[in-house]
């Protein structure tokens, strides 16, 4: 059996009473079809989501020089994105839960694409700050909305692998976007535009077109997915209803307001803040640091950061699969946080320029591995509409780390002429994050035993 029997029924069970929702073959078929139709499309959306928020790191190789931005001004502009993002994250995700993913994700993508393209018009620090803030407002709700959306389709035992297949868009957006961005910088002077202006324009427009595609393609819930067979639709709906109704160890059926006060949610938010501070310090500063350490060209920097990202993809997929197979979330998240901490120390203290670049790679690889097991934790604490609020709160607080990481690194570089002190501090934050994973384990009981989770994962892997 895939799930234990339940006396509760879905409305679809009455329409198709012949469907056995405990049939492993039906479970595998339903999950496989959902994976094929949803994950590649959502992956492409997230590639452009992450690309349009992080491409400023490559643009800075030209933009800062052309516009005369100091390291502090650039760091503030790169980071202020996350202020707007954090303010509107929870309201945006609650709206998504009310109006449906199709409409709200389409709105998010069209608005962020327009603002991302408008970044090409920046001429002053104030304009840079305003557009980066508005970009954060526009993007708010996208990532936590997708995490909540996937929880409507995929059972808990498969969720780390599903999330890892979606979230490899983070490193792959760097693997694809950094070399692409470096190529676009070579358009400098074409059509009376700077290379960094071409970068913002040509990477912002596809998000608008993808937003229109969301409106026509993305089903809100399994009930409205026409590409599912009736039996598969019954299984997905019944599985979701059963998982939401059946009390589980470590899961609480509470209101959205109470979810925002749950101690496990706030601990998760603090943990995510620590790791994202490290992550975005790498994202926004690694291209500049690698260029300065090795004296590399923009194209060489793009290729090197792209290669690092490809390694991170493999690590993310492997950690997601291992986490699902063992049922372990906290241990894998803690180990990956420690890898990032060691990378930060190496980036700060190693005397060899090549050694510092390798250490920077470890920072990003550790963070990439952290994501999939971590994002299984909030949905083990709260469920239903409360999950939409809880996920959004974790993501909004966590993403303030993007502001802290980018701005503080810039300020310290202006003050000291070096990023060494900043990366020593980041190592301490990532180490504290690893310790917090252990503390969080005591607050949150994992939703399933290892043996049962592994058996279900083998039976109905998507």
């Amino acid at each position: 059996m895939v799930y234990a029997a339940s006396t509760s029924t879905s409305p679809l069970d009455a329409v198709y009473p012949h469907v056995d929702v405990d049939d492993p073959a039906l479970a595998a078929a339903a999950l496989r079809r959902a994976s094929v139709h949803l994950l590649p499309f959502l992956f492409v959306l997230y590639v452009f989501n992450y690309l349009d928020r992080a491409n400023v790191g490559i643009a800075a190789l030209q933009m800062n020089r052309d516009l005369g931005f100091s390291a502090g001004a650039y760091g503030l502009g790169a980071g202020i994105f996350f202020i707007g993002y954090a303010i509107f994250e929870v309201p945006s995700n609650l709206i998504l839960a009310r109006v449906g993913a199709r409409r709200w994700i389409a709105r998010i993508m069209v608005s962020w694409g327009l603002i991302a393209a408008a970044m090409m018009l920046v001429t002053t620090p104030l304009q840079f700050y305003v557009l980066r803030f508005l970009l954060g407002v526009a993007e708010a709700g996208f990532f936590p909305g997708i995490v909540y959306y996937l929880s409507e389709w995929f059972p808990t035992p498969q969720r780390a692998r599903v999330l890892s297949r979606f979230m490899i868009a983070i490193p792959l957006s760097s693997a694809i976007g950094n070399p692409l961005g470096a190529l676009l910088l070579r358009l400098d002077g074409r059509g009376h535009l700077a290379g960094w202006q071409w970068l913002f324009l040509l990477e912002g427009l596809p998000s608008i077109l993808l937003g229109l595609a969301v409106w026509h393609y993305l089903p809100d819930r399994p009930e409205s997915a026409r590409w599912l067979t009736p039996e598969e639709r019954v299984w997905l709906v019944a599985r979701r209803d059963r998982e939401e109704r059946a009390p589980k160890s470590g899961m609480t059926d509470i209101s959205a307001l109470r979810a925002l006060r749950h101690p496990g949610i706030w601990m998760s938010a603090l943990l995510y803040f620590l790791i994202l501070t490290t992550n975005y310090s790498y994202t926004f500063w690694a291209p500049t640091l690698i260029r300065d350490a090795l004296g590399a060209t923009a194209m060489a920097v793009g290729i090197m950061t792209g290669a690092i990202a490809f390694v991170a993809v493999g690590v993310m997929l492997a950690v997601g699969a291992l986490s699902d197979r063992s049922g372990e979330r906290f241990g894998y998240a803690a180990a990956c946080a420690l890898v990032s901490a060691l990378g930060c120390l190496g980036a700060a203290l190693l005397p060899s320029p090549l050694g510092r670049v390798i250490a920077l790679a470890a920072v990003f690889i550790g963070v990439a591995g952290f994501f999939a097991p971590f994002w299984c934790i909030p949905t083990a604490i709260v469920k239903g509409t409360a999950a939409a609020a809880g996920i959004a709160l974790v993501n909004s607080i966590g993403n303030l780390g993007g502001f802290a990481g980018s701005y503080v690194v810039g300020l310290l570089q202006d003050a000291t002429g070096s990023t060494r002190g900043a990366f020593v501090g980041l190592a301490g934050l990532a180490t504290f994050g690893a310790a917090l994973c252990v503390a969080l384990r005591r607050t949150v009981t994992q939703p399933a035993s290892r043996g049962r989770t592994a058996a279900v994962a083998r039976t109905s892997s998507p």
Side-chain angles (χ1 to χ4, degrees):
M1 279 191 179
V2 178
Y3 291 96
S6 172
T7 58
S8 62
T9 59
S10 163
L12 288 177
D13 292 331
V15 180
Y16 302 103
H18 61 285
V19 175
D20 180 7
V21 296
D22 292 320
D23 180 2
L26 178 58
L31 291 172
R32 188 178 301 112
R33 195 181 297 268
S35 297
V36 168
H37 280 79
L38 295 178
L39 293 181
F41 183 63
L42 295 175
F43 163 79
V44 171
L45 301 186
Y46 198 31
V47 165
F48 280 94
N49 173 260
Y50 209 80
L51 193 64
D52 284 339
R53 76 166 64 171
N55 59 9
V56 69
I58 289 292
L61 297 174
Q62 276 187 3
M63 181 183 69
N64 289 359
R65 177 201 64 203
D66 290 353
L67 301 181
F69 287 178
S70 68
Y74 164 71
L76 176 59
I80 205 169
F81 164 95
F82 299 98
I83 303 298
Y85 191 86
I87 291 171
F88 289 92
E89 189 87 321
V90 173
S92 180
N93 220 34
L94 290 175
I95 292 172
L96 181 144
R98 179 177 293 272
V99 306
R102 180 175 63 90
R103 293 174 181 152
W104 198 243
I105 296 298
R107 192 284 305 164
I108 288 173
M109 295 203 65
V110 170
S111 60
W112 102 49
L114 289 170
I115 296 170
M119 288 288 297
M120 66 178 289
L121 304 176
V122 164
T123 58
T124 67
L126 179 59
Q127 293 171 356
F128 183 46
Y129 304 154
V130 169
L131 281 179
R132 285 290 294 178
F133 177 84
L134 291 177
L135 185 63
V137 172
E139 287 193 22
F142 176 80
F143 174 75
I146 297 297
V147 172
Y148 171 70
Y149 180 72
L150 290 174
S151 73
E152 295 273 287
W153 290 78
F154 296 97
T156 300
Q158 283 82 34
R159 205 161 289 161
R161 275 172 297 173
V162 167
L163 287 172
S164 68
R165 293 171 192 175
F166 163 63
M167 294 181 68
I168 57 171
I170 295 176
L172 276 180
S173 68
S174 298
I176 298 167
N178 287 355
L180 175 62
L183 280 173
L184 293 176
L185 291 181
R186 292 187 170 188
L187 295 176
D188 194 38
R190 302 284 180 89
H192 304 290
L193 295 176
W196 60 269
Q197 291 176 305
W198 281 112
L199 186 156
F200 286 130
L201 176 63
L202 296 180
E203 291 185 353
L205 292 179
S207 296
I208 301 172
L209 299 177
L210 285 168
L212 299 176
V214 167
W215 180 268
H216 294 286
Y217 180 81
L218 197 68
D220 283 320
R221 307 184 93 194
E223 292 92 325
S224 58
R226 297 180 180 178
W227 35 261
L228 290 169
T229 67
E231 293 79 10
E232 290 165 350
R233 198 176 300 122
V234 168
W235 188 88
L236 286 169
V237 173
R239 185 282 313 164
R240 182 194 65 212
D241 291 348
R242 179 179 296 176
E243 193 167 84
E244 288 183 356
R245 292 171 184 169
K248 290 188 178 182
S249 177
M251 295 186 71
T252 54
D253 189 8
I254 59 179
S255 68
L257 184 60
R258 287 186 62 196
L260 299 180
R261 301 196 302 266
H262 195 289
I265 291 295
W266 279 95
M267 289 178 69
S268 299
L270 174 59
L271 171 57
Y272 202 45
F273 171 85
L274 297 172
I275 299 304
L276 284 196
T277 300
T278 305
N279 175 59
Y280 283 110
S281 297
Y282 171 89
T283 298
F284 293 134
W285 289 100
T288 302
L289 295 177
I290 292 172
R291 179 195 64 186
D292 294 345
L294 301 180
T297 65
M299 178 55 69
V301 170
I303 292 172
M304 281 186 279
T305 52
I308 292 168
F310 274 117
V311 175
V313 168
V315 171
M316 180 178 280
L317 291 173
V319 172
L322 290 170
S323 177
D324 273 350
R325 187 171 299 132
S326 64
E328 175 60 56
R329 310 303 187 193
F330 304 94
Y332 281 107
C336 290
L338 285 176
V339 170
S340 287
L342 291 174
C344 289
L345 272 181
L349 303 178
L350 289 176
S352 163
L354 180 59
R356 292 198 297 274
V357 171
I358 293 172
L360 277 173
V363 175
F364 190 52
I365 289 167
V367 168
F370 170 88
F371 286 135
F374 169 79
W375 276 110
C376 294
I377 296 172
T379 52
I381 300 174
V382 290
K383 57 186 177 180
T385 304
I391 291 167
L393 180 65
V394 170
N395 199 52
S396 63
I397 298 299
N399 271 278
L400 289 174
F403 175 78
S406 60
Y407 187 38
V408 170
V409 171
L411 285 179
L412 288 175
Q413 182 170 344
D414 278 344
T416 67
S418 169
T419 57
R420 177 174 297 178
F423 274 86
V424 170
L426 291 170
L429 292 182
T431 302
F432 181 45
L436 193 57
C437 287
V438 178
L440 191 56
R441 181 199 291 273
R442 299 174 183 175
T443 303
V444 183
T445 303
Q446 296 187 68
S449 68
R450 292 185 179 184
R452 178 172 173 271
T453 298
V456 173
R458 288 192 298 267
T459 302
S460 56
S461 175

